[in-house]
Amino acid sequence: MSLPEPVPEAKPRLRRPARLKYDSLRQTELLLLPERVVSLNATAAAILRLCDGQRTVSEIVGELESAYGQTDLKGDVLEFLMLAADRGWVEP
């Protein structure tokens, strides 16, 4: 079942009890979920770290564009958030 596309005003957050952790031994970001651990790339971790339930999708996009000196990241961020929602990592 596919979830609806996140809207720019949505304030996504990690689905409880998921949490992010940096594994210094493996030098990678991890998403800790009940009964599983997901190894994230730097881009996925950067997006999920901003999903705090306070920032809107538009604000997340703006912060990422500013941090990485890029533009037009909205489509990529929305695509990732849809995937993350489908996998149960985030909720609106």
Side-chain angles (χ1 to χ4, degrees):
M1 178 173 134
S2 183
L3 297 175
E5 181 173 323
V7 294
E9 300 81 29
K11 295 182 177 180
R13 67 178 179 151
L14 287 179
R15 185 175 299 274
R16 295 179 195 258
R19 66 186 178 95
L20 293 169
K21 179 180 179 184
Y22 182 74
D23 182 344
S24 57
L25 181 63
R26 294 180 186 88
Q27 296 185 344
T28 190
E29 294 279 355
L30 302 174
L31 177 62
L32 306 176
L33 300 157
E35 300 182 20
R36 65 183 175 187
V37 175
V38 179
S39 180
L40 302 170
N41 65 29
T43 304
I47 295 169
L48 290 177
R49 287 211 179 276
L50 296 174
C51 292
D52 58 6
Q54 303 299 311
R55 294 175 179 95
T56 64
V57 172
S58 293
E59 291 170 334
I60 291 170
V61 170
E63 287 189 40
L64 291 168
E65 287 177 345
S66 177
Y68 293 100
Q70 295 186 17
T71 58
D72 299 324
L73 295 179
K74 182 179 177 181
D76 294 332
V77 171
L78 287 173
E79 183 179 335
F80 175 77
L81 288 174
M82 287 173 39
L83 174 74
D86 249 3
R87 293 184 178 179
W89 301 350
V90 296
E91 57 191 10

